[in-house]
Amino acid sequence: MSKKNKMMVAVTILILLLLLSGAGLVYKVQSLLTSDALSMIQEISAQGANAVHVSITENLDFLRTLSDQEEFLKSNDTLEQIRALSKGAERRNFTRIYFADKTGRVVTNDGKIVRLDKQKYFQQAMKGNANVSFGQTDLFDVDRKVITYAVPVIRSHAVYGVIAATADNGNLGILDGIATGPDRSFFLLSSDGSVISRSAGEDSFQNFFQYFRKQSNPKELERIQRDFQQDRPGNGLLTVDGTANLMGYSAIQGTDGWILAVTAEENTFQSQAGKVLFMSEILVAFLILICIACAISFLKFKKNTYEAKLHQEEEINHFIYSDALTDLPNRKGVKKNIREWFECTKCKTGGAFFLDVDNFRSVNNTFGNDVGDEFLAAAASRLAMLTGKNNIIGRIGGDEYALFISNISTNAQLEDFAKKIVELFKKPFLVRKNVIQLTCSIGAVLFNYSEVVKENKFDDIINRGEFVLQEAKKNSKGSYEIYNDQYGMSIERRFQMLSELKLSIYNKELVCYYQPQYDYDKKAVVGFESLARWNSKKFGMVPPLQFIELAEETGFIKQLGRFMINQAFAFAKSISDPGICVSFNASPIELMQADFTDYVIERFCYYELEPESVAIEITESCLIESFDDVVKKLKILTDCGISIYLDDFGTGFSSLSYLKELPIHAVKIDKSFIDNIVSDRVRRDIVDMIIRLAHRLNLKVIAEGVETKEQAQCISECGCNLIQGYYISKPVPGEEAIAFLDELKTG
C-alpha cells in the first residue's frame, strides 16, 4: 500500500474516531441533561402535589368550620340546616353541600333529601376521619363522577353526622395553587390513571395510561403504573404524536391514592443539547473545526456550571453561617471563623462574652417586631464599634450576641471588658423616634488557642458562657458573671443529670405521685394532683423544680409531659368513685406544641374517661406567649369534657384580667398566701377577696399548701372548703393514694 493510501486510511480512521468521539460526547451530554430535566420535572410534581394537598386541606378546613355550627345538632330543624348549607355553598365553588345524620339521611343545600349510608366516604367520616375521594357517583346524576369532600360533625369527642360536598372535575380550583407554564401540563390522577382534573387547554381524555399507551414504551408505562399503585414518586419518558415527553409524578397526601403528574416536551429542556447536536451534523463536512467548537462549547459549559455552582455555594454558605438581620456571623459562623481568627490575631488567649438583652420581648410587644428588629441591628452596630476589626462579634440567638476579644488573659481583664459592655447599653437607643433603654446580662469565659484548635472544645466554651449568662440573669439583670471552677462543676453535674434524665422513663426512675384535694366540710377526697418525681439511681431523689427546669431547657419536657398525662389518665381510670378529678400540670412549652390538644384528647378517649374526671393545671406564664392561641386550645379541651385549673393564682401581675376570658373551672390559691394566713390579717383579707371573687364567677377554689389545722379552719371560715397540702397528705405513689381513699371511705 502506498504512503498516500496509508495516509488516507489514517485520516479516515481519525475521522471515524472523531465522529465516534463526537457522537459519544453528544450522547453523554444529552443523557446528563435528560437526567437533570427528569429530576427537575419530578421536583415540580412534588411541589405541585404539595400545593394540591394545601388546596384540599383548605376545602376540608372550610367544611370543618361549617360543621361547628349548632344547626347540625338539631335533627328536626331541616330549614336551619338548609340555610346554613346554602351559606356555605355561596362561599365555595362546590356543586352541592349536604349534611348527613348518623343514619345516613341527607339534607342538601338545595333542599333535597336522600340517603348516604352506603357511601365509603360517609362511613370513613363517621369513624372520625376527614377524607376526599374521586370516582363517586353524583347523588342526583348517576352518569357523572364527582370529587367528594367529607368531614365528621364532632361534639364532645362523639361523631353526630357528616358534612360533605361534591365538585365536578376541575372545580374548586384544586390546581390553582400550582405555578403552571406554557411548556408544562398538569394532571390530577387516581391510582388507576383516571383523570380527576387537568390544567387548562389540554386535550380531553379520561384515562392517562390509555392516552399514552398508543406510542409509548409498554415496559415504561407498566413501571409507572406500579409506582402509581404503590404511591411512589418517580419520572419517565413518554411519547405523544411522535414527540418525546418528560414526565414526573408524586403522590398527594391525605387522599385515596391521588397522583399529581407533570409532562413537558423533552425539547423544552434540551436547548444546550440542541446546540451540540446541531454542531454534530456539521461535523461531517467540517470535522476538525466542529471538534474544536464542541470542545470550546463544552469547556464554556463546564466553566459556567462551575462558576454558577461556586456562586450558589457562596450564597448557601452566607445563608448558613450569617445572620440575615445583622449580617453578623451566626452560631455556626462564629465557630467556623474562630480558628482563622486565632491565626490572624496571633493571640494565644482570649475572652468570650455571651450577651443577652434583658426584657427584649417588651420591645416587640410595645412597638412591634419591625422596631424590635431595628433595635437588634442597632445593638449589633454599637457592639461592633466596641470590639473593633480584629475581634469577632456574632448574633447567636434571637436577642443573644457573642463577642470574642483577643489578648485577654486574666479575669480582671475579662471583668473590665464586661463592664464596658454593660456601660454601652446604659445609653438609650433611638429607633424610629422611639427611645428604648434596655440592660444586658453577660456571661464571660477565658479560653486559649489549645482548647479551640488542638482539643476542639469550642462547643464547651459556648456551653460555659451560656451557663454563666443564665446565672447572671438569675442573680440580677443588667449584670455579668465570670466563669470559674465552681461553675465548671455545676456544668458537669448538669450535663450528667441531663444524660440520666433522658433515660429516666426507660429506666423506670420517673414516677407519678398523687396529692389529695380534700373537701374540709364533707370530709371527703374530691380529687388528686399528679406530680412528677425522679428517683435517680445516681443522684437520688432530685427536686422537681430542678429536673423540670432542665427538661424545659432541653426539650425533654414533651416526653416527660406525655408520660405524666398517661400516668394521670390511667390513675383516673382506676378510681371507681364518681366525682373525683385527677389533675396534671402542663408547662407553657407543652401548651405551645401544635399537637398538644390532639394528644390529650386522643389519650382521654383511649382511657374512656368520663367528663370532668381529669383536669389540666396551667399557670399565668402559659398565657404570656400567645394568649388567644392558648385560650382557643383550652376551649377545645373543655368541649371534650376536660376541666381547666388556674394554678398558683395570685402570684402573677394580671391574674384578675384572665378570670373572665379563660374557660377555667377552678383557681388554686398559691401557697405563699396560705403560709401566714392565721397570723397575718392582710394575707387573710386577700385570700377572702380571692375566694369571694372566684365564687361570684362560679369557679371552684382550692387552697394549696395547707399544713396545719389552724390554716384549714381559717380558710374554711373565708368560704373555701377545698384544700390541698401536708395537713391532709403529702404526695404519695398511686397505690398509697388509693389506699388513702379507701381508708377515708371506711371511716
Side-chain angles (χ1 to χ4, degrees), residues 129-176:
N129 302 318
N131 62 91
V132 58
S133 59
F134 171 71
Q136 305 292 334
T137 301
D138 189 281
L139 293 175
F140 305 101
D141 186 352
V142 295
D143 296 327
R144 182 171 62 176
K145 301 294 184 182
V146 292
I147 298 172
T148 305
Y149 297 82
V151 300
V153 178
I154 299 176
R155 298 293 187 279
S156 299
H157 60 83
V159 179
Y160 282 81
V162 174
I163 294 290
T166 60
D168 293 329
N169 298 6
N171 275 4
L172 295 179
I174 54 179
L175 294 180
D176 292 350

Side-chain angles (χ1 to χ4, degrees), residues 356-369 372 375-376 399 438 477 621 623-626:
D356 180 86
V357 180
D358 299 323
N359 301 318
F360 171 71
R361 185 181 298 157
S362 64
V363 176
N364 284 336
N365 292 340
T366 305
F367 303 106
N369 291 333
F375 171 83
L376 292 174
D399 56 352
L438 298 176
K477 291 183 178 181
S621 59
L623 309 170
I624 294 174
E625 287 291 335
S626 180

Side-chain angles (χ1 to χ4, degrees), residues 131 135 184 203 231 270 389 391 436 454 494 616 639 662:
N131 62 91
R184 305 170 194 163
D203 294 336
D231 288 343
Q270 299 291 351
K389 295 182 179 180
N391 297 296
I436 301 173
K454 295 181 181 179
R494 184 176 183 274
I616 298 178
D639 288 343
L662 288 172

Side-chain angles (χ1 to χ4, degrees), residues 198-255:
R198 58 171 62 84
S199 56
E202 300 298 328
D203 294 336
S204 177
F205 56 87
Q206 299 300 316
N207 189 281
F208 187 83
F209 294 115
Q210 292 177 1
Y211 178 72
F212 283 97
R213 184 170 282 115
K214 302 174 184 177
Q215 301 179 43
S216 299
N217 187 322
K219 291 183 178 180
E220 182 78 346
L221 274 177
E222 289 175 5
R223 179 184 65 80
I224 295 173
Q225 282 182 295
R226 287 195 299 271
D227 286 349
F228 273 35
Q229 294 167 359
Q230 299 175 16
D231 288 343
R232 288 191 308 219
N235 54 56
L237 289 169
L238 302 174
T239 304
V240 180
D241 296 332
T243 302
N245 279 255
L246 304 175
M247 174 187 176
Y249 46 89
S250 296
I252 299 172
Q253 297 180 7
T255 64

